[in-house]
């Protein structure tokens, strides 16, 4: 796994508290809902090196002078958006840009208002992680009229020609990795089964959710068709297993109902394939409280949330697909710098990136245009390779050497 030199510089910013999602900041922000001991000396050395690297590499960009980037994040109620928002803010400020950062409490009207406010403030670039990618068309038409470039961050924004670029991970591959993990864990190539599987997908308003589900389902479909995997609930379509707002509580309730309806007679659940960590957290809670089987089902996830990493250590969750926010932020920064300096980013930018990424001009049609996309590579985290997360600088082992915790002051 390629751990980038870039991380050392930015991790120092994180550890110095630039990453305080719920504290005071210099950004304009609307209300939102909100290693082991033997490595301690190495950790201190790494921190010192990170500070040295930050001092040498985090100088302001010559094209940044006086320019402002507006960042619109969906909510503070999910850990990952706190990480992304504050991490992006710290990077852009380190490069010399001013930043307006707003969280919109999973309210589409509020996000439209937040973006309109940033347009009125005459930001030079909008970076938007949409709550609902289909609700921003008119607002972004206003941004286009004002000559403000728009980057869709992590989630594709639909039905508008105002989006210049999309920066995300290969979302189909995220789901594919989850499905492939199940195939390997159950040795479906050699086992006859049958094994029972249930799906929990994401928010139907999130364009990525369908990619996650389809990638996972396609990875296991041949085994469903062959009868090696069975779905007792019969729910195999995205619409049947979608979870609004990626809610942990909703995922908990849905899995409780599934267990009561299809598994109360002793039927064994072998796999709960969940699209992300917030839903996996609810599913794992339901399995702990309501599942009567003697086995421990495979539970998948995505994001690397702290509570889920604890569950992975405790055996309540099997894996998570990790999308390194520092990689996504570094690519976003480079695309933004090119736009703000009057360039037109294209495939040639890939070779200069610190993170592994591809340039895609075919896959992401938002209903109006195919949006040029920079797609990063996710990877699987299990109990056996948690040190990969420590290597990013965003996590560290707790004092008991058992669980990971964030290096940020808050999550």
């Amino acid at each position: 796994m390629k751990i980038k030199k870039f991380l050392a510089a930015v991790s120092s910013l994180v550890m110095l508290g630039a990453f305080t999602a719920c504290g005071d900041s210099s950004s304009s922000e609307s209300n939102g809902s909100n290693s082991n001991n033997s490595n301690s000396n190495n950790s201190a050395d790494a921190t010192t090196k990170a500070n040295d690297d930050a001092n040498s590499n985090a100088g302001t960009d010559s094209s940044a002078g006086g320019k402002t980037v507006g960042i619109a994040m969906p909510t503070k109620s999910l850990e990952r958006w706190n990480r992304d928002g504050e991490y992006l803010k710290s990077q852009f400020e380190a490069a010399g840009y001013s930043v307006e950062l707003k969280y919109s409490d999973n309210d589409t009207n509020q996000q439209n208002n937040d973006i309109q406010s940033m347009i009125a403030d005459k930001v030079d670039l909008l970076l938007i992680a949409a709550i609902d990618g289909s609700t921003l068309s008119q607002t972004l038409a206003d941004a286009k009229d004002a000559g403000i470039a728009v980057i869709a961050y992590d989630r594709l924004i639909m039905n508008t020609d105002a989006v210049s670029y999309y920066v995300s991970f290969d979302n189909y591959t995220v789901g594919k990795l989850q499905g492939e993990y199940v195939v390997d864990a159950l040795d479906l190539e050699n086992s006859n089964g049958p094994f029972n599987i249930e799906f929990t997908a994401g928010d139907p308003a999130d364009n990525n959710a369908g990619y996650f589900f389809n990638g996972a389902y396609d990875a296991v479909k041949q085994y469903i068709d062959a009868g090696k995997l069975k779905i007792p609930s019969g729910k195999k379509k995205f619409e049947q297993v979608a979870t609004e707002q990626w809610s942990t509580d909703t995922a908990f309730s849905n899995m409780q109902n599934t267990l009561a309806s299809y598994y109360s007679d002793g039927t064994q659940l072998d796999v709960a394939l969940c699209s992300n960590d917030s839903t996996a957290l609810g599913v794992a809670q339901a399995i702990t409280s309501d599942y009567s089987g003697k086995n421990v089902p495979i539970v998948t996830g995505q994001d690397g949330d702290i509570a889920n990493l604890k569950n992975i250590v405790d055996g309540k969750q099997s894996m998570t697909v990790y999308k390194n926010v520092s990689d996504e932020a570094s690519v976003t920064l480079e695309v933004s710098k090119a736009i703000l300096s009057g360039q037109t980013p294209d495939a040639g930018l890939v070779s200069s990136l610190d993170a592994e990424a591809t340039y895609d001009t075919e896959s992401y049609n938002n209903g109006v245009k195919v949006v040029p996309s920079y797609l990063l590579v996710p990877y699987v985290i299990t109990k056996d390779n948690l040190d990969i997360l420590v290597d990013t600088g965003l996590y560290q082992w707790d004092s008991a050497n058992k669980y990971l915790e964030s290096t940020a002051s808050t999550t």
Side-chain angles (χ1 to χ4, degrees), residues 194-381:
F195 301 98
N196 292 325
I197 186 171
E198 299 291 344
F199 294 87
T200 298
D203 187 353
D206 181 349
N207 184 70
N208 290 352
Y211 285 97
F212 299 146
F213 176 80
N214 290 336
Y217 192 87
D218 288 351
V220 299
K221 183 179 183 299
Q222 63 174 304
Y223 304 103
I224 294 173
D225 293 344
K228 290 186 177 184
L229 286 175
K230 294 186 178 295
I231 311 170
S233 71
K235 297 176 182 179
K236 60 181 182 179
K237 294 182 179 180
F238 174 80
E239 294 78 12
Q240 295 174 301
V241 294
T243 310
E244 288 192 5
Q245 297 187 359
W246 300 94
S247 167
T248 295
D249 291 342
T250 300
F252 172 73
S253 177
N254 289 346
M255 180 52 72
Q256 276 190 314
N257 291 336
T258 296
L259 292 173
S261 299
Y262 303 100
Y263 294 88
S264 62
D265 62 353
T267 298
Q268 179 168 302
L269 173 64
D270 298 289
V271 182
L273 203 159
C274 305
S275 288
N276 86 325
D277 279 352
S278 61
T279 57
L281 196 62
V283 166
Q285 290 170 352
I287 290 171
T288 298
S289 62
D290 291 77
Y291 178 54
S292 58
K294 298 185 182 303
N295 68 307
V296 178
I298 294 167
V299 179
T300 68
Q302 170 197 177
D303 288 332
D305 289 352
I306 295 298
N308 298 79
L309 297 175
K310 181 179 186 297
N311 274 356
I312 287 175
V313 172
D314 290 342
K316 297 178 182 179
Q317 183 170 325
S318 308
M319 60 84 79
T320 188
V321 178
Y322 184 61
K323 303 186 301 185
N324 192 331
V325 60
S326 62
D327 286 351
E328 191 169 15
S330 71
V331 172
T332 302
L333 176 62
E334 293 306 314
V335 175
S336 300
K337 286 165 63 176
I339 292 172
L340 290 168
S341 64
Q343 301 174 43
T344 302
D346 57 20
L349 185 66
V350 170
S351 63
S352 67
L353 298 175
D354 292 302
E356 184 179 357
T358 59
Y359 182 67
D360 186 316
T361 57
E362 298 179 357
S363 302
Y364 289 89
N365 190 324
N366 74 350
V368 175
K369 63 183 287 189
V370 176
V371 182
S373 305
Y374 290 90
L375 304 176
L376 292 93
V377 179
Y379 44 93
V380 171
I381 295 295

Side-chain angles (χ1 to χ4, degrees), residues 59-304:
T60 59
D61 184 79
S62 59
S63 65
K67 294 182 179 178
T68 299
V69 177
I71 302 176
M73 290 283 116
T75 181
K76 284 187 173 181
S77 66
L78 289 181
E79 179 185 321
R80 71 144 304 175
W81 296 122
N82 288 318
R83 286 202 306 258
D84 286 53
E86 298 299 331
Y87 203 94
L88 284 162
K89 176 178 177 291
S90 69
Q91 282 210 70
F92 276 98
E93 289 180 339
Y97 298 94
S98 297
V99 175
E100 280 194 43
L101 170 62
K102 296 180 182 289
Y103 296 89
S104 302
D105 199 23
N106 268 333
D107 183 324
T108 56
N109 290 328
Q110 183 174 327
Q111 188 164 58
N112 274 284
N113 291 336
D114 288 342
I115 295 169
Q116 286 286 2
S117 175
M118 290 189 279
I119 294 171
D121 288 342
K122 298 182 179 180
V123 300
D124 297 282
L125 177 103
L126 282 166
L127 183 60
I128 302 169
I131 295 168
D132 183 338
S134 65
T135 63
L136 297 173
S137 299
Q138 183 54 55
T139 295
L140 296 190
D142 294 342
K144 183 178 180 180
D145 289 344
I148 301 171
V150 176
I151 297 176
Y153 180 83
D154 202 74
R155 295 173 172 179
L156 186 63
I157 301 173
M158 308 301 291
N159 306 318
T160 175
D161 65 354
V163 178
S164 301
Y165 293 92
Y166 176 44
V167 179
S168 187
F169 283 78
D170 187 334
N171 297 310
Y172 182 87
T173 295
V174 171
K176 184 168 176 281
L177 289 172
Q178 294 168 338
E180 288 174 346
Y181 179 89
V182 170
V183 171
D184 292 342
L186 296 179
D187 192 20
L188 291 177
E189 281 295 307
N190 301 304
S191 301
N192 292 323
F195 301 98
N196 292 325
I197 186 171
E198 299 291 344
F199 294 87
T200 298
D203 187 353
D206 181 349
N207 184 70
N208 290 352
Y211 285 97
F212 299 146
F213 176 80
N214 290 336
Y217 192 87
D218 288 351
V220 299
K221 183 179 183 299
Q222 63 174 304
Y223 304 103
I224 294 173
D225 293 344
K228 290 186 177 184
L229 286 175
K230 294 186 178 295
I231 311 170
S233 71
K235 297 176 182 179
K236 60 181 182 179
K237 294 182 179 180
F238 174 80
E239 294 78 12
Q240 295 174 301
V241 294
T243 310
E244 288 192 5
Q245 297 187 359
W246 300 94
S247 167
T248 295
D249 291 342
T250 300
F252 172 73
S253 177
N254 289 346
M255 180 52 72
Q256 276 190 314
N257 291 336
T258 296
L259 292 173
S261 299
Y262 303 100
Y263 294 88
S264 62
D265 62 353
T267 298
Q268 179 168 302
L269 173 64
D270 298 289
V271 182
L273 203 159
C274 305
S275 288
N276 86 325
D277 279 352
S278 61
T279 57
L281 196 62
V283 166
Q285 290 170 352
I287 290 171
T288 298
S289 62
D290 291 77
Y291 178 54
S292 58
K294 298 185 182 303
N295 68 307
V296 178
I298 294 167
V299 179
T300 68
Q302 170 197 177
D303 288 332

